[in-house]
């Protein structure tokens, strides 16, 4: 009920014109004792293409993420960026006919397409700050992709980075990922601090990967993540983008669909 009440409050803020979209999280405690092998098995069998496992003496992070944040590739002395934001969710089905219907439902949803369009526009603006003028391009405004237990709408944006930029300046312009904040970014970040009961910490952060052999830098958005102290209890968080057409009960169902990974 607390979550439903918060969604209603977010919708009130949207109708007042404070922001257009806010990504609101629910936090869960995992009560079963999951061994490292149990978690790695879940990631291997059910995780998205940007899943990751990070372990230190103090902390553990296990992410089942399907979402790329930003990747860089060098072409003839120039650096190009690619981003594939994800918004819009529907459960998947092992029955091919039903799954095709679900994917068509998602592709036809004006609410879900609006979610993705807002984030694509936000990321275009962020990339414009560090890219050659006129090089930012939307390659895909939204296609349905299957990621195991859920289907998503995914976009694709590219740009050619300014030669004067470095990793720090680019990440400063782009972080945090718009798909886990909402739009406009600065205002919804303030609102998230008001609405969510705890600090996000590693939830909704990023994991980075550098492939020196192939000259590729890649990164994920740490969505659908378990975090906690190494050897201790773990928590899990999942969220959804709230827009003017959102219905609280359906947003809650979307999060429960994303939590299905815990029951695999």
């Amino acid at each position: 009920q607390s979550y439903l009440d918060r969604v209603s409050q977010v919708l009130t803020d949207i109708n007042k014109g404070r922001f257009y979209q806010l990504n609101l999280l629910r936090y869960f405690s995992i009560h079963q004792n999951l061994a490292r092998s149990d978690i790695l098995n879940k990631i291997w069998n059910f995780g998205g293409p940007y899943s990751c496992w990070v372990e230190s003496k103090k902390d553990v992070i296990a992410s089942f993420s399907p979402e790329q944040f930003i990747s860089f590739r060098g072409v003839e002395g120039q650096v190009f960026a690619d981003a594939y934001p994800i918004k819009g969710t529907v459960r998947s089905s092992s029955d091919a006919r039903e799954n095709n219907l679900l994917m068509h439902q998602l592709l036809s949803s004006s609410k879900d397409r609006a979610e993705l369009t807002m984030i694509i526009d936000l990321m275009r603006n962020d990339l414009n700050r560090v890219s050659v003028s006129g090089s930012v391009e939307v390659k895909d405004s939204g296609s349905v992709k299957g990621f195991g237990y859920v289907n998503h709408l995914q976009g694709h944006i590219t740009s050619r980075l300014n030669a004067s930029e470095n990793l720090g300046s680019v990440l400063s312009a782009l972080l945090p990922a718009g798909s886990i904040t909402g739009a406009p970014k600065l205002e919804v970040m303030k609102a998230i601090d008001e609405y969510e009961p705890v600090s996000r910490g590693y939830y909704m952060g990023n994991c980075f990967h550098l492939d020196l052999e192939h000259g590729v830098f890649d990164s994920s958005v740490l969505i659908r993540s378990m975090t906690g102290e190494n050897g201790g209890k773990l928590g899990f968080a999942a969220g959804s983008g709230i827009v003017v057409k959102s219905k609280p009960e359906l947003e809650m169902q979307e999060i429960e669909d994303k939590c299905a990974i815990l029951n695999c």
Side-chain angles (χ1 to χ4, degrees), residues 77-132:
Q78 298 177 322
V79 179
F80 291 80
D82 290 273
Y84 293 85
I86 283 175
K87 275 318 222 186
T89 306
V90 70
R91 68 178 179 87
S92 65
S93 171
S94 57
D95 180 272
R97 183 176 179 182
E98 182 185 20
N99 198 53
N100 284 335
L101 289 172
L102 289 166
M103 294 174 85
H104 178 72
Q105 171 189 326
L106 179 59
L107 192 62
S108 304
S109 168
S110 59
K111 178 260 184 187
D112 290 299
R113 293 199 70 87
E115 277 190 55
L116 181 61
T117 298
M118 290 177 195
I119 301 309
I120 286 176
D121 192 50
L122 185 154
M123 293 203 71
R124 284 176 57 216
N125 289 334
D126 286 351
L127 280 168
N128 265 319
R129 296 164 59 191
V130 291
S131 300
V132 174

Side-chain angles (χ1 to χ4, degrees), residues 157-175:
I157 310 142
T158 67
S159 76
R160 179 160 55 96
L161 298 178
N162 293 321
S164 59
E165 304 296 342
N166 58 37
L167 181 61
S169 64
V170 173
L171 293 182
S172 293
L174 301 181
L175 287 171

